[in-house]
Amino acid sequence: MNSDVPFGLIADGALAVHDDTIVWVGPRTELPPEFSAARVVDVGGRCITPGFIDAHTHVVYGGDRAQEFELRASGAGYAEIARAGGGILSTVRATRAASSAELAAAADRRVGAMQRDGTTTLEVKSGYGLDRETELRMLRVARALPERHALRVCTTYLGLHALPPEWSDADDYVTFVCDEVLPAVAAEHLADAVDAFCEPIAFTPAQVARFFDAAAALDLPVKLHADQLTPGGGAEVAARYHALSADHLEHVRDGDLAALAASGTIALLLPGAAYFLRETTFPPLARLRELGIPIAIATDCNPGTSPLVSPLLAMNLACTIFRMTPEEALRGFTVNAARALGLGDTIGSLAPGRKADFVVWDVEQPGHLAYPMGANPGCTVVVAGKTAKGAFD
Ligand code: NIG
Ligand code: FE
């Protein structure tokens, strides 16, 4: 993933791993002799990439939204359904009603599918509980995923996702989130970051700023669902608070992009949601490139706008819908996704000192990963130096 050559590709390369860490990578002919006595696996010219990092998911939730999908197929709009009490709030009802074991079992199926397509690190948001007890429960379910799946999990408290039905005043709800839920989340170390949905159907920039102030006081990094459906100034708030990532950005105001670039915030694009909502306005890719804003992509796996588990298909959608290159898509799911989680020094590239999280693909060129639609060419997944899926023959 270094940027000197396309894909940072090392032809006829070798990768040395000790315990859970990469200790050497380079051309096979230059492999230092001290590694020759170790166990050697010949992968037969296959391509090795960093494990995929899905940096924006809502993989823990109850129920589904198949009925809403039917309604939208008959002409109803996403925001219209949300305003009528459906949308996110229908998943809130299903999530509150589900036991932790039910939430875990449903998440297990999705996480298993993600891992089969190369995901080795997963960000998981709360945000479908919106009361103290269910938000804490969702985050505990997310934190426990690595007990049953060999992958890394980062959790995010999505406190401001929608105004829950028991609250009539959004400012009062923000006060409750800042004063009562966030401290409980922090006390139990249940979240690695916080997130909000900045949108007319959700929360205003001023409300988001109050939440981010409370997070900053607890040393929690922030990220934001910004300018997904309308140009509401989300990217400006994200930049002002040095967010790890500003996510979606279909309707970002051009004037906010310079601030985003200056703040070092990653643009995290979610092509699955744009596809599923039949969005016709896309993130300003040319401007992001021009300003040198690093671009990550993720599945956004959620029941309402992106029931997508596959990083491979997300990469294909990034290329076809957002017109990213296959190389940008791969960087978006690896090195830039790691930065979006604040883990740029730990994962996301094949380099000495990084964790040995990688995927051996049955392809000879990395450009072939984004090309098929919904087909996995075959792979072996390694997390922390241990085979997590598949086998070496
Ligand atoms: O990332 N936009 C807010 N959150 C999700 C959608 C959630 C839902 O509709 O359930 C998203 O697209
Ligand atoms: Fe989302």
Side-chain angles (χ1 to χ4, degrees), residues 333-365:
F333 242 108
T334 54
V335 64
N336 290 342
R339 295 174 64 183
L341 295 178
L343 295 174
D345 295 332
T346 312
I347 52 174
S349 59
L350 303 177
R354 298 291 200 284
K355 293 294 175 197
D357 294 5
F358 58 87
V359 186
V360 182
W361 298 97
D362 288 354
V363 299
E364 287 177 9
Q365 294 298 328

PDB file of all heavy atoms in Angstrom, residues 333-365:
ATOM      1  N   PHE A 333     -10.345   0.539   1.324  1.00  0.00           N
ATOM      2  CA  PHE A 333     -10.756  -0.520   2.258  1.00  0.00           C
ATOM      3  C   PHE A 333      -9.602  -1.005   3.121  1.00  0.00           C
ATOM      4  O   PHE A 333      -9.774  -1.925   3.926  1.00  0.00           O
ATOM      5  CB  PHE A 333     -11.366  -1.715   1.510  1.00  0.00           C
ATOM      6  CG  PHE A 333     -12.803  -1.940   1.894  1.00  0.00           C
ATOM      7  CD1 PHE A 333     -13.829  -1.636   1.017  1.00  0.00           C
ATOM      8  CD2 PHE A 333     -13.139  -2.415   3.158  1.00  0.00           C
ATOM      9  CE1 PHE A 333     -15.155  -1.813   1.373  1.00  0.00           C
ATOM     10  CE2 PHE A 333     -14.451  -2.590   3.531  1.00  0.00           C
ATOM     11  CZ  PHE A 333     -15.461  -2.288   2.641  1.00  0.00           C
ATOM     12  N   THR A 334      -8.402  -0.411   2.924  1.00  0.00           N
ATOM     13  CA  THR A 334      -7.252  -0.890   3.697  1.00  0.00           C
ATOM     14  C   THR A 334      -6.564   0.288   4.397  1.00  0.00           C
ATOM     15  O   THR A 334      -6.951   0.667   5.492  1.00  0.00           O
ATOM     16  CB  THR A 334      -6.274  -1.658   2.774  1.00  0.00           C
ATOM     17  OG1 THR A 334      -5.918  -0.826   1.656  1.00  0.00           O
ATOM     18  CG2 THR A 334      -6.902  -2.951   2.265  1.00  0.00           C
ATOM     19  N   VAL A 335      -5.603   0.883   3.708  1.00  0.00           N
ATOM     20  CA  VAL A 335      -4.759   1.872   4.384  1.00  0.00           C
ATOM     21  C   VAL A 335      -5.555   3.101   4.841  1.00  0.00           C
ATOM     22  O   VAL A 335      -5.382   3.583   5.971  1.00  0.00           O
ATOM     23  CB  VAL A 335      -3.544   2.227   3.475  1.00  0.00           C
ATOM     24  CG1 VAL A 335      -3.964   2.889   2.184  1.00  0.00           C
ATOM     25  CG2 VAL A 335      -2.539   3.093   4.199  1.00  0.00           C
ATOM     26  N   ASN A 336      -6.474   3.594   4.002  1.00  0.00           N
ATOM     27  CA  ASN A 336      -7.234   4.787   4.406  1.00  0.00           C
ATOM     28  C   ASN A 336      -8.330   4.448   5.418  1.00  0.00           C
ATOM     29  O   ASN A 336      -8.687   5.280   6.257  1.00  0.00           O
ATOM     30  CB  ASN A 336      -7.813   5.491   3.178  1.00  0.00           C
ATOM     31  CG  ASN A 336      -6.723   6.155   2.348  1.00  0.00           C
ATOM     32  OD1 ASN A 336      -5.615   6.378   2.848  1.00  0.00           O
ATOM     33  ND2 ASN A 336      -7.016   6.449   1.095  1.00  0.00           N
ATOM     34  N   ALA A 337      -8.848   3.231   5.348  1.00  0.00           N
ATOM     35  CA  ALA A 337      -9.847   2.807   6.339  1.00  0.00           C
ATOM     36  C   ALA A 337      -9.200   2.696   7.718  1.00  0.00           C
ATOM     37  O   ALA A 337      -9.811   3.030   8.737  1.00  0.00           O
ATOM     38  CB  ALA A 337     -10.468   1.477   5.926  1.00  0.00           C
ATOM     39  N   ALA A 338      -7.953   2.242   7.757  1.00  0.00           N
ATOM     40  CA  ALA A 338      -7.241   2.157   9.043  1.00  0.00           C
ATOM     41  C   ALA A 338      -7.119   3.548   9.656  1.00  0.00           C
ATOM     42  O   ALA A 338      -7.346   3.743  10.858  1.00  0.00           O
ATOM     43  CB  ALA A 338      -5.859   1.541   8.837  1.00  0.00           C
ATOM     44  N   ARG A 339      -6.802   4.537   8.822  1.00  0.00           N
ATOM     45  CA  ARG A 339      -6.679   5.911   9.325  1.00  0.00           C
ATOM     46  C   ARG A 339      -8.021   6.434   9.820  1.00  0.00           C
ATOM     47  O   ARG A 339      -8.077   7.192  10.795  1.00  0.00           O
ATOM     48  CB  ARG A 339      -6.122   6.816   8.227  1.00  0.00           C
ATOM     49  CG  ARG A 339      -4.692   6.449   7.842  1.00  0.00           C
ATOM     50  CD  ARG A 339      -4.198   7.241   6.657  1.00  0.00           C
ATOM     51  NE  ARG A 339      -4.118   8.666   6.946  1.00  0.00           N
ATOM     52  CZ  ARG A 339      -3.770   9.585   6.044  1.00  0.00           C
ATOM     53  NH1 ARG A 339      -3.460   9.220   4.812  1.00  0.00           N
ATOM     54  NH2 ARG A 339      -3.716  10.855   6.373  1.00  0.00           N
ATOM     55  N   ALA A 340      -9.098   6.030   9.150  1.00  0.00           N
ATOM     56  CA  ALA A 340     -10.434   6.473   9.574  1.00  0.00           C
ATOM     57  C   ALA A 340     -10.802   5.925  10.953  1.00  0.00           C
ATOM     58  O   ALA A 340     -11.710   6.437  11.606  1.00  0.00           O
ATOM     59  CB  ALA A 340     -11.486   6.053   8.544  1.00  0.00           C
ATOM     60  N   LEU A 341     -10.105   4.866  11.393  1.00  0.00           N
ATOM     61  CA  LEU A 341     -10.349   4.327  12.731  1.00  0.00           C
ATOM     62  C   LEU A 341      -9.261   4.755  13.713  1.00  0.00           C
ATOM     63  O   LEU A 341      -9.221   4.278  14.855  1.00  0.00           O
ATOM     64  CB  LEU A 341     -10.431   2.791  12.677  1.00  0.00           C
ATOM     65  CG  LEU A 341     -11.617   2.225  11.883  1.00  0.00           C
ATOM     66  CD1 LEU A 341     -11.570   0.702  11.859  1.00  0.00           C
ATOM     67  CD2 LEU A 341     -12.946   2.698  12.466  1.00  0.00           C
ATOM     68  N   GLY A 342      -8.350   5.606  13.255  1.00  0.00           N
ATOM     69  CA  GLY A 342      -7.241   6.014  14.123  1.00  0.00           C
ATOM     70  C   GLY A 342      -6.228   4.907  14.332  1.00  0.00           C
ATOM     71  O   GLY A 342      -5.480   4.908  15.307  1.00  0.00           O
ATOM     72  N   LEU A 343      -6.201   3.924  13.405  1.00  0.00           N
ATOM     73  CA  LEU A 343      -5.314   2.766  13.558  1.00  0.00           C
ATOM     74  C   LEU A 343      -4.289   2.688  12.434  1.00  0.00           C
ATOM     75  O   LEU A 343      -3.804   1.600  12.090  1.00  0.00           O
ATOM     76  CB  LEU A 343      -6.153   1.469  13.596  1.00  0.00           C
ATOM     77  CG  LEU A 343      -7.101   1.322  14.789  1.00  0.00           C
ATOM     78  CD1 LEU A 343      -7.977   0.074  14.630  1.00  0.00           C
ATOM     79  CD2 LEU A 343      -6.316   1.250  16.088  1.00  0.00           C
ATOM     80  N   GLY A 344      -3.951   3.855  11.875  1.00  0.00           N
ATOM     81  CA  GLY A 344      -3.056   3.888  10.725  1.00  0.00           C
ATOM     82  C   GLY A 344      -1.668   3.316  10.985  1.00  0.00           C
ATOM     83  O   GLY A 344      -0.986   2.899  10.053  1.00  0.00           O
ATOM     84  N   ASP A 345      -1.238   3.289  12.245  1.00  0.00           N
ATOM     85  CA  ASP A 345       0.093   2.739  12.529  1.00  0.00           C
ATOM     86  C   ASP A 345       0.041   1.254  12.861  1.00  0.00           C
ATOM     87  O   ASP A 345       1.081   0.626  13.078  1.00  0.00           O
ATOM     88  CB  ASP A 345       0.734   3.473  13.729  1.00  0.00           C
ATOM     89  CG  ASP A 345       0.998   4.934  13.416  1.00  0.00           C
ATOM     90  OD1 ASP A 345       1.201   5.261  12.226  1.00  0.00           O
ATOM     91  OD2 ASP A 345       0.990   5.745  14.369  1.00  0.00           O
ATOM     92  N   THR A 346      -1.152   0.689  12.939  1.00  0.00           N
ATOM     93  CA  THR A 346      -1.302  -0.683  13.434  1.00  0.00           C
ATOM     94  C   THR A 346      -1.717  -1.658  12.347  1.00  0.00           C
ATOM     95  O   THR A 346      -1.229  -2.795  12.290  1.00  0.00           O
ATOM     96  CB  THR A 346      -2.375  -0.702  14.554  1.00  0.00           C
ATOM     97  OG1 THR A 346      -2.103   0.357  15.463  1.00  0.00           O
ATOM     98  CG2 THR A 346      -2.365  -2.030  15.300  1.00  0.00           C
ATOM     99  N   ILE A 347      -2.651  -1.240  11.511  1.00  0.00           N
ATOM    100  CA  ILE A 347      -3.208  -2.129  10.485  1.00  0.00           C
ATOM    101  C   ILE A 347      -3.356  -1.362   9.166  1.00  0.00           C
ATOM    102  O   ILE A 347      -3.066  -0.169   9.104  1.00  0.00           O
ATOM    103  CB  ILE A 347      -4.591  -2.706  10.916  1.00  0.00           C
ATOM    104  CG1 ILE A 347      -5.542  -1.572  11.339  1.00  0.00           C
ATOM    105  CG2 ILE A 347      -4.428  -3.735  12.027  1.00  0.00           C
ATOM    106  CD1 ILE A 347      -6.965  -2.034  11.631  1.00  0.00           C
ATOM    107  N   GLY A 348      -3.772  -2.052   8.120  1.00  0.00           N
ATOM    108  CA  GLY A 348      -4.113  -1.378   6.861  1.00  0.00           C
ATOM    109  C   GLY A 348      -3.054  -1.460   5.784  1.00  0.00           C
ATOM    110  O   GLY A 348      -3.327  -1.101   4.642  1.00  0.00           O
ATOM    111  N   SER A 349      -1.852  -1.904   6.128  1.00  0.00           N
ATOM    112  CA  SER A 349      -0.841  -2.069   5.081  1.00  0.00           C
ATOM    113  C   SER A 349       0.073  -3.234   5.461  1.00  0.00           C
ATOM    114  O   SER A 349       0.077  -3.683   6.608  1.00  0.00           O
ATOM    115  CB  SER A 349      -0.029  -0.785   4.899  1.00  0.00           C
ATOM    116  OG  SER A 349       0.611  -0.443   6.107  1.00  0.00           O
ATOM    117  N   LEU A 350       0.797  -3.712   4.474  1.00  0.00           N
ATOM    118  CA  LEU A 350       1.721  -4.820   4.715  1.00  0.00           C
ATOM    119  C   LEU A 350       3.103  -4.206   4.909  1.00  0.00           C
ATOM    120  O   LEU A 350       3.802  -3.907   3.940  1.00  0.00           O
ATOM    121  CB  LEU A 350       1.708  -5.788   3.526  1.00  0.00           C
ATOM    122  CG  LEU A 350       0.340  -6.371   3.160  1.00  0.00           C
ATOM    123  CD1 LEU A 350       0.447  -7.258   1.920  1.00  0.00           C
ATOM    124  CD2 LEU A 350      -0.252  -7.161   4.328  1.00  0.00           C
ATOM    125  N   ALA A 351       3.456  -3.970   6.138  1.00  0.00           N
ATOM    126  CA  ALA A 351       4.732  -3.315   6.426  1.00  0.00           C
ATOM    127  C   ALA A 351       5.236  -3.806   7.773  1.00  0.00           C
ATOM    128  O   ALA A 351       4.428  -4.151   8.649  1.00  0.00           O
ATOM    129  CB  ALA A 351       4.544  -1.797   6.462  1.00  0.00           C
ATOM    130  N   PRO A 352       6.557  -3.839   7.961  1.00  0.00           N
ATOM    131  CA  PRO A 352       7.106  -4.287   9.242  1.00  0.00           C
ATOM    132  C   PRO A 352       6.510  -3.494  10.399  1.00  0.00           C
ATOM    133  O   PRO A 352       6.374  -2.269  10.308  1.00  0.00           O
ATOM    134  CB  PRO A 352       8.609  -4.017   9.101  1.00  0.00           C
ATOM    135  CG  PRO A 352       8.856  -4.015   7.639  1.00  0.00           C
ATOM    136  CD  PRO A 352       7.615  -3.485   6.999  1.00  0.00           C
ATOM    137  N   GLY A 353       6.128  -4.204  11.449  1.00  0.00           N
ATOM    138  CA  GLY A 353       5.541  -3.561  12.620  1.00  0.00           C
ATOM    139  C   GLY A 353       4.025  -3.545  12.609  1.00  0.00           C
ATOM    140  O   GLY A 353       3.403  -3.394  13.655  1.00  0.00           O
ATOM    141  N   ARG A 354       3.419  -3.710  11.416  1.00  0.00           N
ATOM    142  CA  ARG A 354       1.956  -3.767  11.363  1.00  0.00           C
ATOM    143  C   ARG A 354       1.489  -5.167  11.784  1.00  0.00           C
ATOM    144  O   ARG A 354       2.225  -6.147  11.646  1.00  0.00           O
ATOM    145  CB  ARG A 354       1.436  -3.493   9.950  1.00  0.00           C
ATOM    146  CG  ARG A 354       1.770  -2.126   9.402  1.00  0.00           C
ATOM    147  CD  ARG A 354       1.012  -1.049  10.143  1.00  0.00           C
ATOM    148  NE  ARG A 354       0.945   0.187   9.376  1.00  0.00           N
ATOM    149  CZ  ARG A 354       1.935   1.063   9.208  1.00  0.00           C
ATOM    150  NH1 ARG A 354       3.115   0.846   9.752  1.00  0.00           N
ATOM    151  NH2 ARG A 354       1.753   2.163   8.497  1.00  0.00           N
ATOM    152  N   LYS A 355       0.250  -5.233  12.255  1.00  0.00           N
ATOM    153  CA  LYS A 355      -0.340  -6.524  12.597  1.00  0.00           C
ATOM    154  C   LYS A 355      -0.418  -7.406  11.349  1.00  0.00           C
ATOM    155  O   LYS A 355      -0.664  -6.910  10.238  1.00  0.00           O
ATOM    156  CB  LYS A 355      -1.752  -6.330  13.169  1.00  0.00           C
ATOM    157  CG  LYS A 355      -1.757  -5.621  14.511  1.00  0.00           C
ATOM    158  CD  LYS A 355      -1.097  -6.458  15.591  1.00  0.00           C
ATOM    159  CE  LYS A 355      -1.002  -5.688  16.896  1.00  0.00           C
ATOM    160  NZ  LYS A 355      -0.025  -6.306  17.821  1.00  0.00           N
ATOM    161  N   ALA A 356      -0.232  -8.701  11.548  1.00  0.00           N
ATOM    162  CA  ALA A 356      -0.272  -9.639  10.421  1.00  0.00           C
ATOM    163  C   ALA A 356      -1.722  -9.989  10.102  1.00  0.00           C
ATOM    164  O   ALA A 356      -2.197 -11.099  10.327  1.00  0.00           O
ATOM    165  CB  ALA A 356       0.545 -10.887  10.750  1.00  0.00           C
ATOM    166  N   ASP A 357      -2.459  -9.004   9.586  1.00  0.00           N
ATOM    167  CA  ASP A 357      -3.844  -9.179   9.127  1.00  0.00           C
ATOM    168  C   ASP A 357      -3.787  -9.077   7.611  1.00  0.00           C
ATOM    169  O   ASP A 357      -3.551  -7.985   7.071  1.00  0.00           O
ATOM    170  CB  ASP A 357      -4.747  -8.045   9.641  1.00  0.00           C
ATOM    171  CG  ASP A 357      -4.936  -8.040  11.153  1.00  0.00           C
ATOM    172  OD1 ASP A 357      -4.304  -8.860  11.838  1.00  0.00           O
ATOM    173  OD2 ASP A 357      -5.721  -7.198  11.636  1.00  0.00           O
ATOM    174  N   PHE A 358      -3.962 -10.190   6.918  1.00  0.00           N
ATOM    175  CA  PHE A 358      -3.888 -10.118   5.459  1.00  0.00           C
ATOM    176  C   PHE A 358      -4.742 -11.207   4.809  1.00  0.00           C
ATOM    177  O   PHE A 358      -5.218 -12.124   5.479  1.00  0.00           O
ATOM    178  CB  PHE A 358      -2.427 -10.192   4.985  1.00  0.00           C
ATOM    179  CG  PHE A 358      -1.678 -11.431   5.408  1.00  0.00           C
ATOM    180  CD1 PHE A 358      -1.718 -12.584   4.643  1.00  0.00           C
ATOM    181  CD2 PHE A 358      -0.923 -11.416   6.576  1.00  0.00           C
ATOM    182  CE1 PHE A 358      -1.007 -13.720   5.038  1.00  0.00           C
ATOM    183  CE2 PHE A 358      -0.213 -12.556   6.970  1.00  0.00           C
ATOM    184  CZ  PHE A 358      -0.258 -13.704   6.199  1.00  0.00           C
ATOM    185  N   VAL A 359      -4.965 -11.051   3.516  1.00  0.00           N
ATOM    186  CA  VAL A 359      -5.786 -11.997   2.764  1.00  0.00           C
ATOM    187  C   VAL A 359      -4.993 -12.473   1.548  1.00  0.00           C
ATOM    188  O   VAL A 359      -4.405 -11.659   0.832  1.00  0.00           O
ATOM    189  CB  VAL A 359      -7.115 -11.352   2.297  1.00  0.00           C
ATOM    190  CG1 VAL A 359      -8.014 -12.409   1.648  1.00  0.00           C
ATOM    191  CG2 VAL A 359      -7.838 -10.686   3.466  1.00  0.00           C
ATOM    192  N   VAL A 360      -4.958 -13.776   1.356  1.00  0.00           N
ATOM    193  CA  VAL A 360      -4.333 -14.353   0.165  1.00  0.00           C
ATOM    194  C   VAL A 360      -5.459 -14.681  -0.816  1.00  0.00           C
ATOM    195  O   VAL A 360      -6.340 -15.491  -0.507  1.00  0.00           O
ATOM    196  CB  VAL A 360      -3.543 -15.634   0.515  1.00  0.00           C
ATOM    197  CG1 VAL A 360      -2.860 -16.192  -0.733  1.00  0.00           C
ATOM    198  CG2 VAL A 360      -2.520 -15.346   1.605  1.00  0.00           C
ATOM    199  N   TRP A 361      -5.460 -14.009  -1.945  1.00  0.00           N
ATOM    200  CA  TRP A 361      -6.565 -14.115  -2.912  1.00  0.00           C
ATOM    201  C   TRP A 361      -6.181 -15.029  -4.076  1.00  0.00           C
ATOM    202  O   TRP A 361      -5.036 -15.012  -4.531  1.00  0.00           O
ATOM    203  CB  TRP A 361      -6.901 -12.739  -3.490  1.00  0.00           C
ATOM    204  CG  TRP A 361      -7.367 -11.743  -2.463  1.00  0.00           C
ATOM    205  CD1 TRP A 361      -6.619 -10.790  -1.841  1.00  0.00           C
ATOM    206  CD2 TRP A 361      -8.696 -11.619  -1.945  1.00  0.00           C
ATOM    207  NE1 TRP A 361      -7.394 -10.076  -0.966  1.00  0.00           N
ATOM    208  CE2 TRP A 361      -8.671 -10.558  -1.010  1.00  0.00           C
ATOM    209  CE3 TRP A 361      -9.913 -12.298  -2.184  1.00  0.00           C
ATOM    210  CZ2 TRP A 361      -9.810 -10.153  -0.302  1.00  0.00           C
ATOM    211  CZ3 TRP A 361     -11.035 -11.891  -1.477  1.00  0.00           C
ATOM    212  CH2 TRP A 361     -10.987 -10.834  -0.556  1.00  0.00           C
ATOM    213  N   ASP A 362      -7.155 -15.730  -4.611  1.00  0.00           N
ATOM    214  CA  ASP A 362      -6.927 -16.555  -5.800  1.00  0.00           C
ATOM    215  C   ASP A 362      -6.963 -15.678  -7.054  1.00  0.00           C
ATOM    216  O   ASP A 362      -7.693 -15.971  -8.010  1.00  0.00           O
ATOM    217  CB  ASP A 362      -7.986 -17.670  -5.904  1.00  0.00           C
ATOM    218  CG  ASP A 362      -7.757 -18.747  -4.862  1.00  0.00           C
ATOM    219  OD1 ASP A 362      -6.731 -18.682  -4.140  1.00  0.00           O
ATOM    220  OD2 ASP A 362      -8.602 -19.656  -4.742  1.00  0.00           O
ATOM    221  N   VAL A 363      -6.224 -14.597  -7.033  1.00  0.00           N
ATOM    222  CA  VAL A 363      -6.059 -13.740  -8.215  1.00  0.00           C
ATOM    223  C   VAL A 363      -4.580 -13.379  -8.296  1.00  0.00           C
ATOM    224  O   VAL A 363      -3.869 -13.406  -7.286  1.00  0.00           O
ATOM    225  CB  VAL A 363      -6.893 -12.434  -8.149  1.00  0.00           C
ATOM    226  CG1 VAL A 363      -8.380 -12.724  -8.055  1.00  0.00           C
ATOM    227  CG2 VAL A 363      -6.450 -11.554  -6.982  1.00  0.00           C
ATOM    228  N   GLU A 364      -4.137 -13.019  -9.499  1.00  0.00           N
ATOM    229  CA  GLU A 364      -2.727 -12.653  -9.648  1.00  0.00           C
ATOM    230  C   GLU A 364      -2.518 -11.145  -9.624  1.00  0.00           C
ATOM    231  O   GLU A 364      -1.411 -10.665  -9.419  1.00  0.00           O
ATOM    232  CB  GLU A 364      -2.167 -13.249 -10.949  1.00  0.00           C
ATOM    233  CG  GLU A 364      -1.977 -14.764 -10.815  1.00  0.00           C
ATOM    234  CD  GLU A 364      -1.490 -15.422 -12.090  1.00  0.00           C
ATOM    235  OE1 GLU A 364      -1.124 -14.695 -13.035  1.00  0.00           O
ATOM    236  OE2 GLU A 364      -1.501 -16.663 -12.125  1.00  0.00           O
ATOM    237  N   GLN A 365      -3.597 -10.389  -9.858  1.00  0.00           N
ATOM    238  CA  GLN A 365      -3.498  -8.923  -9.894  1.00  0.00           C
ATOM    239  C   GLN A 365      -4.524  -8.323  -8.936  1.00  0.00           C
ATOM    240  O   GLN A 365      -5.690  -8.701  -8.966  1.00  0.00           O
ATOM    241  CB  GLN A 365      -3.791  -8.406 -11.312  1.00  0.00           C
ATOM    242  CG  GLN A 365      -2.766  -8.813 -12.355  1.00  0.00           C
ATOM    243  CD  GLN A 365      -1.388  -8.257 -12.046  1.00  0.00           C
ATOM    244  OE1 GLN A 365      -1.255  -7.170 -11.471  1.00  0.00           O
ATOM    245  NE2 GLN A 365      -0.348  -9.018 -12.402  1.00  0.00           N
TER     246      GLN A 365
END
